[in-house]
Amino acid sequence: MIRIGIDLGTTNSLIAYWTEEGPVIIPNSLGEHLTPSVVSIDDNGEILVGKIAKERQITHPELSASVFKRAMGSKKTYKLGGKEFLPEELSALVLKALKEDAEHYLGLPISEAVVSVPAYFSDAQRKATKRAGELAGLKVDRLVTEPTAAALAYGIHNTDADTKILVFDLGGGTFDVSILEFFDGIMEVRAVAGDNYLGGEDFTEVLIDMFLKHHGLNKESLDENTYSLLRKEAEFSKRSFSEDKAATLKCAIHGEILSYDITAEEYEKAVKGLLNRLKEPVERALSDSQLKLNEIEAILMVGGANKLPLIRHFVSKLFGKFAYVNINPDEVVALGAAVQAALMGKNAAFKEIILTDVCPYTLGTTVSVKKAYGHYESGHFFPIIERNTTIPVSKVERLYTIYDNQKVINVEILQGESRLSKDNIYLGELNVPVPPAASGEEAVDIRYTYDINGILEVEVTVVSTGAKRSIIIEKNAGHMSKEEISKRMKSLSYLKIHPRENHENKLLIARGERLYQENLGPIRHEIARLISEFEDVLEKQDLREIQDTRNKLKEVFNTIDNREDF
Ligand code: ADP
Ligand code: MG
C-alpha cells in the first residue's frame, strides 16, 4: 500500500510519494508538477481540473472556480454552470484528479493520503479538508501542517541537535510565518502568524495597477474576461523580472492593443509597500515564540512567490542571513507530506518522531464580570486555551453561578483574540443544569481538549453532582452528516470527469480560445480556423495525426503567445 502526500494549495496543488531516494513529485496528466487548484465545467458538463480549468477561467469565468481553499469550512457555495459546490467539494475534485494522476503514474490504486493544511487552519477548516478527501475517495488519516511538512522535506527530523527554524511561506494569496522547534525527536510548532490577504497575486496586481494607471483606465471599466487576460499577461511579466531588467505588458483593451514598458527598478519601487507588510507577521511570530532572531538557525523559503528574486533579497536582508531555497519552494510542502506519509508507514529510513503543533487561535468561553456597583456585565471573553499553545492540549477552568437559584450555566465556546465575546467567533455552546443554591455555591469545570488534528472537544462537569456534558465542535464543520457526505459523494460521482488521455488536446483548445479572446483582427480568424481544424483531426481519432497536428499547433500558439505556455 502506498500512502501519498498532497499539498492542497490555494493556488496550486501537488502530489508526492516516498521512494528509496527520498520523496518525489508525481507529474499530472500533462506531465507537470503543479496542478492549478482551479475547477471548470465544459459545455458537455464534464469536469476539468488544473491548467485547462485555469485557461478556461479566463474565457469562461462563470463556469470556473478558484481560490476556494480560502472559504474552506464555510458554507459559501460556488456556482458552476447550473450546479452549486461547497469549497470542500471543489477541493474534492482537485484531490480526485491528483489521486488519478498518482494511480496512473504508480499503476496502483491509491486510497490513503496525508494532506497538508495551513498551521492556522481552524477546527472547521481541518474537518472540511478531511471531508474533501473522503469525497474524493481518499482516507486522510493524517493532516500535516504546511510548515511542518516543509521542515520534514528539509530533513530537520534527522538532526540530533535542538533546532529552531522559521518557515517563510509566501503562496499565491496567503502569507504564513511559522516557528518550529525540533527537539528530542519532537517537532513543535512554537508560533504561527501571517496575513491571509497577502501573496504572490498581490505582486501581480501591482503590475496591473501600474498598467491601468499609465493608460488612464480603472479596473471597474474592464469586463471580467479582459481583466483575466491582463492578469495572465501581468503574471508573465512578473516572472520575467527574475531574469530581465524590464518587461513589456501588452493587452487588448476595448478593441485596442495597449502596451506598457516597466523596468525592474520601477517595479521594485511599486512593491515596497507589499514588502513592508511581510515584516509584521515575522515580528509577531518571533515575539509569540519568545525567540530572538539570532536563535533561529535556519529560514526555509516556501511558496511560489519566493521565486521572485526581489522578494528573496528582501527576506535575506530582513533576517540578515541566508534563507534556504535548496528545495524548490513550489514543491517543498508536497515533498514533506510524502515524508510524513512514509513516517506513518514506519518506513525503516526514519527514526520515530512525534509531531506536535500549536493551536492557532485562542479558545475560550464567555463570562460575566462584576462591575463597580455589584451588578454583572455579561459578554466578556474568558480564554481557556491561549493561542500558540502546543497541542495536543487539555485545560480546565472552574466557573461559578452568579445568581441565587441559578438553574443553568450556559457555556459558550468561542475562538478569537478580542476582549468581548461578540467580537470573537462563535463555535457552539452547552447548557448545563445545576442544582439550585446560593450564588457562587455551584460551579462547573470546563475542560477544553484540542487534539493533534485540531479538533476541539469541550466537556463540562457539574462539580457538586459529577454530571457531565460534552460536545465536539462541529458548529461550522458539522453541516454535513455522514448521510449527507454519502449523498454528496453520489452526486459528485455522477459528474463526468473529462478523460485524462485527452487533457493535452483539451488544454490546447482552451489555450486557443484564450488566444482568440486576447487577439484582434485577422489573427483571430486564423486561430479560429486552427482550432476547428484541430477538432476535425480529433474526430478522426488517428493518434499519429492528432499528435502531429498538436505539435504544430503548439508551435503556432507559442509564436502567437510570444512564449511557451506557462
Ligand atoms: P499556494 O500555496 O497558494 O498554492 P504557490 O506556492 O503555488 O501557492 O505560489 C503561487 C504564487 O507563486 C503565485 O502568486 C505565482 O505568481 C507565484 N510564482 C510562481 N512561480 C513564480 C516565478 N517564477 N516568479 C515569480 N512568482 C512566481
Ligand atoms: Mg502553499
Side-chain angles (χ1 to χ4, degrees):
M1 191 233 23
I2 290 188
R3 187 187 276 116
I4 52 172
I6 295 181
D7 171 6
L8 184 61
T10 311
T11 324
N12 295 299
S13 298
L14 303 90
I15 354 156
Y17 79 118
W18 179 256
T19 72
E20 298 279 292
E21 278 92 55
V24 170
I25 300 284
I26 297 177
N28 63 22
S29 62
L30 299 167
E32 297 180 350
H33 286 190
L34 265 66
T35 298
S37 307
V38 187
V39 175
S40 186
I41 292 192
D42 75 3
D43 315 327
N44 309 322
E46 284 180 344
I47 298 286
L48 293 151
V49 169
K51 198 172 181 180
I52 313 172
K54 195 175 169 187
E55 285 282 12
R56 281 180 57 81
Q57 190 170 37
I58 300 175
T59 52
H60 301 80
E62 70 295 344
L63 296 175
S64 315
S66 62
V67 212
F68 33 83
K69 181 173 171 184
R70 271 234 168 98
M72 192 70 111
S74 79
K75 290 180 188 175
K76 175 171 177 176
T77 54
Y78 295 78
K79 251 210 173 100
L80 269 67
K83 299 193 177 73
E84 288 209 15
F85 294 89
L86 287 166
E88 61 255 49
E89 293 180 304
L90 294 169
S91 304
L93 293 170
V94 174
L95 288 173
K96 210 167 169 175
L98 296 174
K99 172 180 185 280
E100 274 166 24
D101 288 333
E103 287 175 338
H104 189 84
Y105 183 81
L106 299 169
L108 294 164
I110 303 288
S111 57
E112 292 183 23
V114 170
V115 177
S116 62
V117 290
Y120 60 80
F121 249 26
S122 68
D123 181 43
Q125 292 167 307
R126 288 171 200 239
K127 281 199 189 115
T129 306
K130 285 190 154 195
R131 257 197 325 270
E134 235 176 287
L135 290 168
L138 278 174
K139 188 167 161 238
V140 181
D141 38 12
R142 185 75 159 85
L143 298 171
V144 61
T145 66
E146 289 161 6
T148 297
L152 289 174
Y154 272 96
I156 303 294
H157 57 293
N158 291 324
T159 56
D160 285 329
D162 175 6
T163 317
K164 298 178 190 76
I165 56 172
L166 185 146
V167 179
F168 186 97
D169 183 348
L170 192 61
T174 52
F175 173 45
D176 305 320
V177 181
S178 318
I179 293 177
L180 312 183
E181 181 167 8
F182 183 71
F183 180 74
D184 265 355
I186 298 170
M187 184 91 76
E188 188 177 313
V189 182
R190 294 270 305 254
V192 290
D195 187 331
N196 237 331
Y197 288 90
L198 179 60
E201 296 310 296
D202 297 292
F203 287 80
T204 309
E205 205 86 31
V206 166
L207 281 176
I208 298 177
D209 291 343
M210 289 170 87
F211 175 93
L212 292 176
K213 194 169 161 213
H214 177 79
H215 290 289
L217 293 162
N218 62 23
K219 233 187 250 181
E220 291 67 40
S221 72
L222 305 183
D223 60 40
E224 205 172 341
N225 286 14
T226 310
Y227 191 75
S228 320
L229 286 175
L230 178 57
R231 193 178 186 84
K232 181 152 175 116
E233 292 309 308
E235 169 81 29
F236 184 76
S237 298
K238 178 181 82 171
R239 291 183 189 208
S240 73
F241 283 128
S242 298
E243 276 145 32
D244 307 332
K245 292 245 166 304
T248 303
L249 185 48
K250 255 194 207 142
C251 190
I253 309 238
H254 306 322
E256 199 186 338
I257 307 253
L258 300 180
S259 93
Y260 179 41
D261 297 322
I262 303 169
T263 64
E265 209 182 322
E266 288 168 329
Y267 181 54
E268 225 155 292
K269 237 184 235 154
V271 298
K272 272 240 160 69
L274 289 179
L275 291 174
N276 277 326
R277 279 173 62 195
L278 297 170
K279 284 186 193 161
E280 197 268 336
V282 170
E283 280 156 13
R284 189 150 36 98
L286 284 169
S287 88
D288 276 0
S289 66
Q290 292 168 336
L291 288 173
K292 296 212 172 51
L293 191 51
N294 59 17
E295 293 174 85
I296 304 285
E297 271 119 279
I299 295 146
L300 309 185
M301 292 281 246
V302 178
N306 281 317
K307 289 187 158 177
L308 207 62
L310 73 89
I311 296 180
R312 279 215 302 277
H313 294 157
F314 179 82
V315 174
S316 301
K317 240 200 236 149
L318 179 64
F319 291 111
K321 65 170 102 183
F322 183 71
Y324 286 88
V325 277
N326 312 29
I327 303 179
N328 190 342
D330 280 343
E331 301 181 352
V332 59
V333 170
L335 293 170
V339 174
Q340 174 60 49
L343 284 172
M344 290 174 67
K346 295 222 182 4
N347 190 302
F350 296 98
K351 51 181 173 174
E352 277 223 331
I353 62 162
I354 305 162
L355 294 161
T356 59
D357 256 310
V358 293
C359 158
Y361 307 106
T362 300
L363 295 163
T365 187
T366 299
V367 293
S368 295
V369 171
K370 203 167 194 168
K371 303 298 281 186
Y373 296 104
H375 74 284
Y376 282 92
E377 186 181 270
S378 62
H380 287 256
F381 185 55
F382 183 84
I384 295 181
I385 297 177
E386 300 274 10
R387 77 160 184 263
N388 285 325
T389 304
T390 302
I391 58 169
V393 56
S394 194
K395 290 238 165 100
V396 74
E397 291 286 347
R398 183 165 290 186
L399 294 180
Y400 297 86
T401 52
I402 53 172
Y403 317 108
D404 291 340
N405 296 319
Q406 186 173 333
K407 290 200 180 86
V408 171
I409 293 183
N410 167 254
V411 179
E412 274 195 335
I413 303 151
L414 301 161
Q415 160 190 310
E417 312 304 326
S418 302
R419 186 178 67 90
L420 297 179
S421 295
K422 69 173 173 54
D423 299 324
N424 290 321
I425 300 168
Y426 172 87
L427 299 174
E429 65 184 73
L430 279 170
N431 285 302
V432 188
V434 287
S439 74
E441 291 270 298
E442 282 294 328
V444 288
D445 280 338
I446 306 174
R447 176 174 292 282
Y448 277 33
T449 307
Y450 197 80
D451 80 5
I452 190 118
N453 287 317
I455 287 163
L456 173 68
E457 184 180 0
V458 175
E459 186 185 69
V460 181
T461 310
V462 181
V463 178
S464 64
T465 65
K468 284 184 199 302
R469 292 247 162 129
S470 73
I471 168 173
I472 289 181
I473 289 308
E474 286 188 315
K475 172 69 187 168
N476 299 321
H479 62 276
M480 263 211 223
S481 62
K482 274 239 150 53
E483 296 80 62
E484 236 175 314
I485 290 183
S486 62
K487 209 171 97 195
R488 289 278 190 176
M489 242 172 126
K490 250 197 208 128
S491 73
L492 283 189
S493 71
Y494 288 136
L495 291 174
K496 285 181 283 177
I497 307 281
H498 191 80
R500 54 173 287 128
E501 310 79 62
N502 293 335
H503 281 177
E504 289 249 27
N505 304 337
K506 191 78 182 175
L507 174 64
L508 213 50
I509 293 174
R511 187 182 175 197
E513 279 171 356
R514 193 244 310 153
L515 283 172
Y516 182 90
Q517 286 205 351
E518 218 167 57
N519 288 280
L520 299 168
I523 198 150
R524 297 187 90 166
H525 298 297
E526 182 59 13
I527 294 166
R529 193 185 63 73
L530 287 168
I531 295 177
S532 121
E533 210 175 80
F534 183 51
E535 280 172 343
D536 292 343
V537 173
L538 289 179
E539 293 230 328
K540 281 194 265 170
Q541 300 189 11
D542 175 340
L543 287 183
R544 252 205 106 118
E545 197 185 346
I546 291 178
Q547 199 170 17
D548 283 349
T549 319
R550 195 164 64 205
N551 289 342
K552 275 188 209 130
L553 193 54
K554 222 184 251 173
E555 295 262 309
V556 180
F557 284 175
N558 283 349
T559 316
I560 299 174
D561 237 346
N562 215 354
R563 60 180 180 236
E564 292 260 322
D565 193 22
F566 76 100

